[in-house]
Amino acid sequence: MVLENFDSCRESFTTLPGENNQKRMQKAWFNEEHGPPEVLQLGYLPVPSPKENQLLVSVRAAALNPIDFKLRQKPLVSTTFPVVPGCDMAGVVVAKGDGISRFCVGDEVYGNIQDFNAEGNLKQLGVLAEFILVEENLVARKPENLSFEEAASLPVALQTAVEGFKVAGFKKGQTVFIFGGAGGVGTLAVQLAKHFYGASLVTATTSTPKVEFVKGLGADKVVDYRKTKYEKVEEKYDLVYDTIGDSKYSSVVSKDDMLLIDITWPPSNPGAIHSG
């Protein structure tokens, strides 16, 4: 399917220069209204051209997060249609605007292309497209030991996991109890706690089939929530890191007056600190 109302979207998606730029089109998933998954369409949009401090990246892999379906469902932020969903990607730089100093054409990069702290609208062109624009400060070189798919799966979840520890002011040698150790953020929180932040004790919850998996990530102890109630956990922890929104129950494993981080909104425990 080809969009018929190109005049409206050309103002937001600048085509590449050249004699045949009218034909420089790309496949993309997009929506022209908010709603259920059925509002998404697979069609064609112009390939954008990088401006100052922007990279044009050929997307090799893209990942979706809860924020993406929430933005599709409701007008949470100001936007202009059509919108291409998605924040996380990995790909190859194919062109760059003026002022780029860190990357060259051909470099493999990955990152979250949306700056949620920036003023103004989010990018109209997300990562469910063949080509995307991104500022160079929002991407990093893809590690050689990661596939494009593995790299694309990391940015938003990893940023979320790191932010929780930063908000908590977590220190080396402290202990942490992570609720949801097998989830997207939970798997990264376990690894960060053990291998980066130097936690002296990392305990995580998961279901029976995933106990060994979470142990393999670095958890010193794994609590099977199907078999053990939170009240039965003997240790008390310096940080309770809740990735599943169960903070109204998870506070029982926290030391007195210690932090309880909940990445869901709103936190189920009014005493929890939201981090997202």
Side-chain angles (χ1 to χ4, degrees), residues 37-54:
E38 288 74 20
V39 301
L40 287 171
Q41 311 172 55
L42 178 61
Y44 291 88
L45 293 172
V47 176
S49 183
K51 299 178 181 179
E52 186 175 2
N53 296 321
Q54 286 185 325

Side-chain angles (χ1 to χ4, degrees), residues 60-230:
R60 299 295 179 86
L64 294 176
N65 296 277
I67 185 62
D68 298 311
F69 79 76
K70 292 175 182 177
L71 290 172
R72 186 207 70 232
Q73 285 179 329
K74 299 178 181 180
L76 300 178
V77 296
S78 176
T79 190
T80 302
F81 292 113
V83 171
V84 175
C87 303
D88 288 349
M89 68 83 212
V92 179
V93 177
V94 294
K96 60 181 185 176
D98 295 336
I100 298 295
S101 59
R102 295 173 49 218
F103 301 102
C104 298
V105 172
D107 286 346
E108 297 178 350
V109 297
Y110 77 118
N112 165 17
I113 72 166
Q114 297 286 6
D115 183 356
F116 292 105
N117 295 317
E119 296 182 359
N121 296 351
L122 296 181
K123 290 186 179 70
Q124 199 176 350
L125 179 60
V127 300
L128 296 190
E130 294 180 274
F131 299 92
I132 56 94
L133 292 177
V134 61
E135 291 72 26
E136 69 169 339
N137 66 304
L138 296 182
V139 295
R141 295 185 185 277
K142 182 183 76 64
E144 294 182 358
N145 63 332
L146 293 184
S147 67
F148 284 106
E149 292 80 5
E150 290 169 331
S153 73
L154 291 173
V156 167
L158 187 55
Q159 287 174 312
T160 303
V162 168
E163 189 70 13
F165 287 103
K166 290 173 65 177
V167 170
F170 192 79
K171 297 179 176 60
K172 183 178 179 180
Q174 290 187 313
T175 60
V176 58
F177 194 106
I178 299 168
F179 284 79
V185 175
T187 55
L188 297 168
V190 170
Q191 294 174 80
L192 286 168
K194 186 65 177 180
H195 306 298
F196 185 75
Y197 288 108
S200 59
L201 175 63
V202 180
T203 301
T205 69
T206 191
S207 59
T208 307
K210 299 175 182 177
V211 169
E212 294 304 316
F213 167 70
V214 175
K215 286 182 180 179
L217 297 176
D220 300 297
K221 295 184 178 181
V222 179
V223 175
D224 184 343
Y225 65 79
R226 294 181 177 177
K227 298 179 179 179
T228 304
K229 294 184 178 297
Y230 300 155

Side-chain angles (χ1 to χ4, degrees), residues 25-37:
M25 308 298 289
Q26 63 168 325
K27 288 183 179 179
W29 284 97
F30 59 87
N31 55 291
E32 297 184 285
E33 61 180 324
H34 295 290

Side-chain angles (χ1 to χ4, degrees), residues 252-264:
V252 298
V253 301
S254 175
K255 292 180 180 178
D256 291 340
D257 299 323
M258 298 307 291
L259 286 178
L260 173 59
I261 296 291
D262 191 336
I263 69 169
T264 63

